[in-house]
Amino acid sequence: MKNNLIRHSNFQDASKELRARLNMSSEKDVTIKFEKDTYHFIDEKAENDFNELMAGNLDYDTHWGKSEIPYNKGITIENCNNIILDFNGSTLMMYGLIQTMLLKGSKNITIKNLTVDWWRSPFSIGEVIGSEGSKVIVKIFDDFPIKGGEPVWAIMDYDPIEKHLGEVYKFRNMTPLKLIEKQKVEFSGNFTLKPIIGSYLVIRHVGNYRPCFQLLECENIFFQNVTIHNNPGMGIVGHYTKNIQFRNLQVKPKESHIMSTSTDATHFISCSGLIDFEDCYFEGMGDDAINVHGFYQSIINISEDRKIVTSTILNPNGTQDMVFDAPTNGDRVEFCKSNNLLCFSENIIKRSEIDSEAWQVKITFEKPLSTSIHCGDVFTKVNDCAKLRFVNCIARDIRARAALIQTRGCIIENCKFSYCTGTGIHIDTATGWWESTSTRDIIIRNNIIQACGYGDGTYNNTCGIAVLTECDESAVGVHKNLVIENNQINGNGESTGIYISSAEEVEIYGNCINNCATAIEVDDSTAIHIYGNDIETQAKIVFNNKRKSFNWD
């Protein structure tokens, strides 16, 4: 392999130097080693866009990345094979609104020994010093310079004594920051819960820009000893990518910054093979540590011979990397009614004609469609369901869930989840975001879930593990073959430890469930086997459905 040593010169902006060597197309068998340093990546357009955002001149909800909305790009590696980027403990310091790196159509890529940070975070933090009616007054810390007029996309509160996120979370519909005096601001909103005086407040200025690392149509990607302190969007998004491995990935705030990525730490769409996490750490994100899923397509037209349909993604937010997630030739799909998301028919795609601008696809199937399939029904690809291994990982102080699982073939083992405002582990499939699919073959064992499920992202009042569907009706058997074994769940005195709905063949055994009003609750499920759990005597096991089979002691 070719070897190159990147030496950083003593000038501030290293973006031209980095782009000159790291923007690659169709290269192979290259190892690039960096001299350990801090590399400042300064892009004038990215800085200008950030300044416009902070002045209130850019829509904080703009879906950057759609065809009509350009975004700022850092480094692009496209159609490359066998590339090793060894940053040797360096920091890549980014400026403004920009995506750090895109990997596209590439195989066997290793990124290691790197920290990514932002010179000015896309959020501000301060202490709440006043509260008058709908108004909140905050003294912003000096790390986050404020001029006034900055938008408030969302707020989160933080207890500086307990050092954990609180229950306050609100997004949108708040006034911009009004500068009262240097670093002292006020803003207003219609608060259900209001931050208390003395608490710290994280004020997010942007919703979801671009992922720090975007992996598109790649294979065999390896992250080793990579830390992401900050990003104005998600940390890592994989789409149509096969086999992604993480060792000592850390998504966490730098000291005193409370927040790391604006939204999910990691997010995977229609990937395949194995997504493999081990010895990784997650803290301070504005959303989940991990989400693995596909997308439902809604049928909007069916041909007379019932072999051709036109379909579209219903999600009004698009996909998380703004790439149309379209079914294609050879995909195996399952059909569901949108009201319950229970599979009732299958087929294989013979040919697809994709209209990426309209986000629609015309599909010809190998066999005529079942007469039970109608417009408004949904289907999803099930060959793009990556297996997930999530082992020896820590997730703490997250606004939302630690793990959102919407795929098949998953093990979550020997992990510790604590002070996540949402449910610790959420097994799901949903309308709303229209994320698929119904799950199969999930093992959750030997994990500790501590003090989760007390705020935003909590489902069915569940602190530990929730298995359910988010749709109009529950149906038995949407989720199948789950094992929940030897986990320790410590609640908040009022929560449910484990909640099961819309499931079939679930084993729950050897778990220790403490400080929960309800230890285990079951709705609309069958073949639920509950035994050998250590449950406090005052906690309940609740079965809300009458016609299903249970085996418990």
Side-chain angles (χ1 to χ4, degrees):
M1 301 179 78
K2 294 181 285 186
N3 287 272
N4 298 288
L5 179 66
I6 294 288
R7 294 190 178 276
H8 177 44
S9 303
N10 290 322
F11 55 83
Q12 187 181 26
D13 182 11
S15 62
K16 292 180 180 178
E17 176 186 5
L18 292 170
R19 280 179 168 137
R21 186 61 196 97
L22 295 183
N23 277 351
M24 301 185 201
S25 179
S26 302
E27 292 193 38
K28 63 180 180 179
D29 302 326
V30 175
T31 296
I32 299 178
K33 295 182 179 180
F34 284 72
E35 183 181 70
K36 184 176 181 179
D37 206 337
T38 297
Y39 295 85
H40 295 263
F41 200 103
I42 303 172
D43 181 282
E44 183 178 353
K45 179 65 165 56
E47 281 199 296
N48 288 340
D49 283 352
F50 183 76
N51 291 336
E52 287 290 289
L53 170 76
M54 296 292 272
N57 298 326
L58 278 185
D59 178 7
Y60 56 34
D61 261 336
T62 299
H63 296 156
W64 288 281
K66 283 190 174 180
S67 58
E68 69 277 14
I69 304 174
Y71 64 94
N72 300 309
K73 301 175 182 179
I75 296 161
T76 299
I77 297 174
E78 187 169 5
N79 299 324
C80 294
N81 294 323
N82 306 322
I83 307 294
I84 298 174
L85 305 182
D86 184 354
F87 287 86
N88 193 30
S90 295
T91 295
L92 192 56
M93 186 67 71
M94 308 300 292
Y95 289 71
L97 290 177
I98 191 168
Q99 177 173 283
T100 301
M101 186 177 294
L102 166 65
L103 303 178
K104 184 176 181 181
S106 298
K107 296 182 179 180
N108 306 322
I109 309 296
T110 296
I111 300 171
K112 62 182 181 179
N113 305 323
L114 170 66
T115 295
V116 180
D117 200 358
W118 249 255
W119 185 253
R120 171 56 167 100
S121 301
F123 54 84
S124 300
I125 302 174
E127 181 179 351
V128 178
I129 59 174
S131 178
E132 304 170 1
S134 64
K135 188 182 301 181
V136 178
I137 302 171
V138 183
K139 180 65 174 177
I140 303 294
F141 300 144
D142 290 340
D143 279 0
F144 309 93
I146 288 292
K147 295 182 179 179
E150 292 83 359
V152 181
W153 185 83
I155 60 170
M156 308 186 300
D157 70 325
Y158 181 85
D159 187 329
I161 298 173
E162 296 294 330
K163 298 188 183 304
H164 296 301
L165 290 173
E167 297 182 50
V168 173
Y169 176 72
K170 177 176 172 56
F171 68 98
R172 300 186 181 93
N173 300 319
M174 288 170 281
T175 62
L177 298 182
K178 179 182 178 181
L179 191 65
I180 302 172
E181 57 187 63
K182 184 178 180 181
Q183 292 298 105
K184 183 179 177 181
V185 299
E186 66 177 39
F187 67 97
S188 300
N190 183 19
F191 302 101
T192 304
L193 284 174
K194 199 171 183 182
I196 62 172
I197 294 174
S199 65
Y200 290 174
L201 202 63
V202 180
I203 301 171
R204 297 161 63 179
H205 302 300
V206 64
N208 188 24
Y209 190 68
R210 298 291 301 177
C212 186
F213 293 95
Q214 181 185 5
L215 319 176
L216 180 61
E217 298 170 349
C218 293
E219 185 173 348
N220 299 335
I221 308 299
F222 181 34
F223 287 82
Q224 182 179 19
N225 302 327
V226 172
T227 296
I228 301 173
H229 280 319
N230 221 317
N231 191 62
M234 294 186 175
I236 298 170
V237 172
H239 201 158
Y240 296 140
T241 293
K242 180 178 181 180
N243 296 334
I244 311 168
Q245 186 179 71
F246 301 94
R247 294 293 182 269
N248 191 32
L249 170 70
Q250 298 193 44
V251 181
K252 64 179 183 181
K254 57 187 172 186
E255 188 176 357
S256 79
H257 274 216
I258 301 174
M259 190 172 188
S260 54
T261 58
S262 292
T263 44
D264 293 2
T266 66
H267 199 111
F268 305 95
I269 308 164
S270 297
C271 290
S272 58
L274 176 65
I275 302 169
D276 185 4
F277 289 84
E278 188 169 332
D279 299 324
C280 298
Y281 182 91
F282 304 91
E283 180 186 349
M285 292 84 68
D287 216 324
D288 312 315
I290 180 172
N291 185 358
V292 185
H293 67 89
F295 275 105
Y296 287 108
Q297 293 273 330
S298 178
I299 298 172
I300 57 179
N301 187 55
I302 303 175
S303 64
E304 289 187 7
D305 62 2
R306 300 195 66 81
K307 293 189 72 174
I308 302 173
V309 305
T310 302
S311 64
T312 187
I313 288 181
L314 288 173
N315 182 10
N317 298 295
T319 64
Q320 288 74 13
D321 61 350
M322 295 303 160
V323 174
F324 181 35
D325 190 68
T328 190
N329 302 355
D331 279 342
R332 183 166 59 90
V333 302
E334 291 181 354
F335 293 87
C336 312
K337 297 296 180 183
S338 61
N339 65 324
N340 63 19
L341 300 180
L342 179 66
C343 170
F344 67 91
S345 184
E346 297 182 9
N347 214 320
I348 296 174
I349 295 175
K350 183 177 180 181
R351 184 173 63 255
S352 66
E353 302 170 48
I354 298 169
D355 184 344
S356 295
E357 289 193 4
W359 285 47
Q360 293 184 5
V361 57
K362 184 177 180 181
I363 298 170
T364 303
F365 289 98
E366 288 191 353
K367 300 181 297 184
L369 299 178
S370 163
T371 55
S372 300
I373 296 171
H374 304 290
C375 289
D377 291 344
V378 298
F379 64 88
T380 184
K381 303 171 288 182
V382 290
N383 47 289
D384 285 340
C385 283
K387 294 182 178 180
L388 172 65
R389 179 177 178 268
F390 201 77
V391 174
N392 296 330
C393 295
I394 295 172
R396 62 185 299 273
D397 283 288
I398 297 166
R399 188 222 64 85
R401 301 149 290 196
L404 174 53
I405 309 304
Q406 303 176 104
T407 193
R408 299 179 177 181
C410 166
I411 182 167
I412 301 176
E413 183 174 31
N414 297 328
C415 295
K416 184 175 182 180
F417 306 139
S418 60
Y419 293 95
C420 303
T421 66
T423 301
I425 300 172
H426 186 188
I427 310 299
D428 193 23
T429 187
T431 56
W433 284 93
W434 294 99
E435 292 178 356
S436 66
T437 184
S438 54
T439 68
R440 305 282 186 272
D441 306 319
I442 308 292
I443 298 173
I444 303 170
R445 68 184 177 206
N446 300 332
N447 303 288
I448 298 173
I449 304 175
Q450 171 75 34
C452 294
Y454 61 89
D456 205 63
T458 301
Y459 284 77
N460 218 70
N461 194 38
T462 303
C463 61
I465 301 164
V467 179
L468 50 84
T469 57
E470 293 181 79
C471 51
D472 292 339
E473 301 174 9
S474 58
V476 174
V478 175
H479 304 290
K480 294 181 180 180
N481 302 328
L482 282 75
V483 175
I484 301 173
E485 170 191 2
N486 294 336
N487 301 283
Q488 181 177 323
I489 299 172
N490 300 308
N492 57 25
E494 300 177 355
S495 53
T496 296
I498 299 172
Y499 176 76
I500 306 294
S501 177
S502 307
E504 183 176 15
E505 289 293 351
V506 181
E507 288 195 65
I508 304 172
Y509 65 92
N511 301 282
C512 181
I513 304 174
N514 296 310
N515 202 25
C516 291
T518 300
I520 301 169
E521 182 176 355
V522 180
D523 280 333
D524 294 315
S525 300
T526 192
I528 310 298
H529 311 283
I530 303 173
Y531 56 94
N533 298 284
D534 183 1
I535 298 172
E536 289 179 323
T537 54
Q538 71 270 23
K540 300 175 290 185
I541 297 180
V542 178
F543 301 106
N544 294 322
N545 49 331
K546 301 176 181 178
R547 66 187 186 279
K548 312 303 182 296
S549 63
F550 301 98
N551 178 3
W552 67 287
D553 60 18

